[in-house]
Amino acid sequence: MSIESLRDRMAELSDLTALARLAAWDQRTMMPPEGGAERGEQLATLERLAHERATGDEVGEWLAALEAADLDGLDAEIVRLARRDFDRARRVPGDLAAEIERASAEGQTIWQAAREANDFAAFAPALRRNVELAREFAACFEGFARPYDALLADYDYGLTAARVQEVFGELSEALAPLVADAAGNGAGAVVAPPVDAQQLAVPAVLARIGAGDGGWRIDVSAHPFSVGVGQRDSRVTTRYEEGDLLSVIAAMHEFGHALYERQIAPELTRTNAGGGTSMSMHESQSKFWENHVGRHPAFAPVIAEALGDGGFTVEPAALHASLVAVRPSLIRVSADPVSYPLHIVLRFELELALIEGGLDVADLPTAWNDGMRRLLGVEVPDDAAGVLQDTHWAAGAFGYFPSYALGCLIAAQLWEVLERDLGPQDDALARADVTAIRGWLADRVHAHGRRLDTEPLVERATGRGMEAAPFLRHARGLVGAV
């Protein structure tokens, strides 16, 4: 009965994770601000329960028995992943796991207030606490060349800081001068729809690509995100600012995350294989929909029509030019698709230095501002538009940031192979017909869940490991298109 017992436990853990996601979604969308402290305790309790259920002695006994059995297929995959997760979770004391969750919830509440007040000093103690906890977490593990590798394994198992530095080195060496040379191309092509038009366009565009049924919610948050509470319960958010075209693009980005979880093979539901395999693969799906569908010239009429229905008239060509113009900027989530990865290169450099002791929290704003000047040629006016703009460090998510740029690279790699397999998608995108695209992604990426790690999955889908060249070709094409 060991495999049935293990499957039951994995389903229970899946349910606890879903409830924690639901509580976190509510915290960032609808919870009254004064609920932050209690929500932190609630999330800590869920984390402690999940940790206890994941690391119980009986799980180790089931795994020992099952590893001696002759299993194959999905059962063998469940055991393999359970062993990895069990050994990793057993390394982390329950009290530390709960403290990390508590600090994450409290840090996000403090960050929101500090960002609004442009007050890094108010946030610094929470960040310092998260850095210290991240180091404690990394110290729980053996066999990693660097502390950061232990953190990275939570988001991209199998990748290392050295591998990321290799890929990012190739990327930034070619991309930084490309951005500097292209900065300002199409500077006059600024499309600035009012908020009311955006609020009508976002659900209209998402409905046309598949998010229009009863299995979706579209909400507003300070930082756009996506949460899958269940395979038929997808929640995406965006944010609306006057004159900001990117609310639509941000919503398509989050749609990509949600679609990944929805198209995982049904037999993996409520198993430990039933989620996206890594954050880089997740980001590749969001960047795929953001950059290669949402910013495709053939899709511009679809967005223009949706904005027009909201009372804002714009020519598709002008809209597309605005979406791809290279304008190095302060804010990552508003960055153009060419300069965007450089924002991530900077964050990776900084968090690597924070974790490995080369940078003190107090010096972070200066290091941030220097890096923005070096990589993007941008001067940072204040911390709210600089070091305080992202929620990830407030949540204690160290090792997460590389996935955003790696996702850009993988998305470009996938798009090249998709068009090789299916042919150019211009006609289909002009009709907002993404049926073939969704099916191709389901087969090549989504259906596998966690059965393949990042680089093996990229190799299966494209025939090659991760590389910067497809993205650089895409970026040069965008620069030449304006």
Side-chain angles (χ1 to χ4, degrees):
M1 296 295 291
S2 293
I3 189 62
E4 288 79 10
S5 298
L6 183 63
R7 277 181 169 269
D8 287 345
R9 183 62 55 88
M10 296 302 104
E12 187 178 78
L13 291 171
S14 174
D15 293 342
L16 287 170
T17 297
L19 289 172
R21 288 176 176 174
L22 180 60
W25 168 83
D26 176 75
Q27 180 186 32
R28 296 166 67 183
T29 56
M30 296 185 177
M31 184 192 76
E34 292 182 7
E38 288 179 315
R39 183 56 47 87
E41 294 298 333
Q42 294 156 4
L43 286 166
T45 296
L46 284 171
E47 176 62 26
R48 184 172 59 254
L49 289 172
H51 186 268
E52 290 170 356
R53 300 298 284 167
T55 59
D57 291 340
E58 67 278 11
V59 178
E61 294 169 1
W62 297 334
L63 289 173
L66 291 166
E67 287 166 339
D70 186 20
L71 297 177
D72 57 14
L74 179 56
D75 286 343
E77 294 294 330
I78 289 172
V79 171
R80 178 181 64 84
L81 291 169
R83 169 59 73 185
R84 178 201 291 178
D85 296 341
F86 176 78
D87 288 349
R88 189 164 174 81
R90 290 273 284 200
R91 292 276 187 175
V92 182
D95 289 346
L96 176 59
E99 181 63 17
I100 289 171
E101 189 65 30
R102 185 179 297 109
S104 171
E106 292 174 358
Q108 290 176 80
T109 300
I110 293 167
W111 164 78
Q112 285 182 329
R115 181 170 176 254
E116 290 175 5
N118 185 31
D119 187 358
F120 179 78
F123 174 59
L127 177 57
R128 186 170 286 107
R129 179 188 183 197
N130 280 344
V131 169
E132 291 168 354
L133 288 171
R135 290 172 178 165
E136 288 184 43
F137 180 85
C140 293
F141 303 97
E142 299 174 351
F144 290 99
R146 303 164 69 170
Y148 190 83
D149 292 347
L151 304 177
L152 190 59
D154 265 358
Y155 303 102
D156 270 281
Y157 192 86
L159 294 186
T160 64
R163 175 67 171 133
V164 175
Q165 286 175 312
E166 175 189 0
V167 175
F168 281 6
E170 178 187 355
L171 176 68
S172 60
E173 182 179 2
L175 191 57
L178 178 64
V179 168
D181 290 344
N185 71 350
V190 178
V191 172
V195 166
D196 55 355
Q198 298 173 46
Q199 290 172 330
L200 291 172
V202 164
V205 170
L206 291 192
R208 295 198 67 181
I209 60 176
D213 60 27
W216 296 80
R217 277 193 63 93
I218 304 169
D219 292 282
V220 178
S221 64
H223 187 97
F225 69 97
S226 173
V227 162
V229 179
Q231 199 162 30
R232 308 304 300 171
D233 182 352
S234 302
R235 305 177 185 219
V236 301
T237 73
T238 191
R239 67 182 181 197
Y240 298 105
E241 296 179 3
E242 196 66 27
D244 183 8
L245 178 61
L246 294 182
S247 57
V248 179
I249 294 299
M252 293 186 69
H253 175 107
E254 301 306 336
F255 168 84
H257 283 303
L259 185 66
Y260 187 177
E261 297 289 332
R262 291 176 75 89
Q263 293 201 143
I264 291 171
E267 62 267 24
L268 304 185
T269 301
R270 297 181 76 227
T271 76
N272 53 353
T277 194
S278 69
M279 288 315 304
S280 287
M281 287 310 303
H282 245 298
E283 286 304 316
S284 78
Q285 298 314 288
S286 59
K287 284 297 181 183
F288 184 100
W289 287 91
E290 172 189 341
N291 287 343
H292 301 280
V293 177
R295 286 186 163 102
H296 195 289
F299 197 74
V302 176
I303 300 177
E305 179 183 354
L307 289 169
D309 290 342
F312 179 78
T313 302
V314 59
E315 288 297 320
L319 185 146
H320 177 255
S322 185
L323 286 174
V324 302
V326 180
R327 304 186 188 98
S329 62
L330 291 165
I331 307 301
R332 174 183 67 86
V333 296
S334 302
D336 66 79
V338 176
S339 66
Y340 177 88
L342 295 176
H343 288 262
I344 306 308
V345 171
L346 171 61
R347 286 156 174 76
F348 168 67
E349 292 174 353
L350 294 177
E351 71 176 17
L352 184 63
L354 283 171
I355 295 300
E356 300 193 344
L359 178 65
D360 186 77
V361 167
D363 299 324
L364 182 60
T366 298
W368 179 288
N369 298 348
D370 290 344
M372 289 292 289
R373 189 180 303 113
R374 169 174 52 88
L375 288 170
L376 288 153
V378 172
E379 295 294 332
V380 180
D382 55 48
D383 290 337
V387 70
L388 287 173
Q389 68 181 266
D390 292 305
T391 188
H392 302 69
W393 293 337
F398 297 97
Y400 191 134
F401 269 124
S403 65
Y404 287 118
L406 294 174
C408 291
L409 307 190
I410 297 168
Q413 200 166 333
L414 289 170
W415 184 259
E416 283 193 348
V417 178
L418 180 145
E419 289 210 306
R420 182 196 68 194
D421 291 352
L422 303 181
Q425 295 298 295
D426 301 55
D427 291 344
L429 290 180
R431 303 189 305 273
D433 180 0
V434 295
T435 305
I437 292 174
R438 290 174 58 145
W440 189 92
L441 289 173
D443 176 64
R444 295 297 184 96
V445 177
H446 301 165
H448 305 287
R450 291 182 66 206
R451 296 175 107 170
L452 294 170
D453 295 321
T454 301
E455 290 226 74
L457 184 53
V458 172
E459 290 171 2
R460 185 192 184 282
T462 71
R464 301 176 65 88
M466 288 190 307
E467 52 187 356
F471 176 81
L472 291 170
R473 285 192 288 271
H474 173 67
R476 292 185 185 107
L478 292 181
V479 169
V482 178

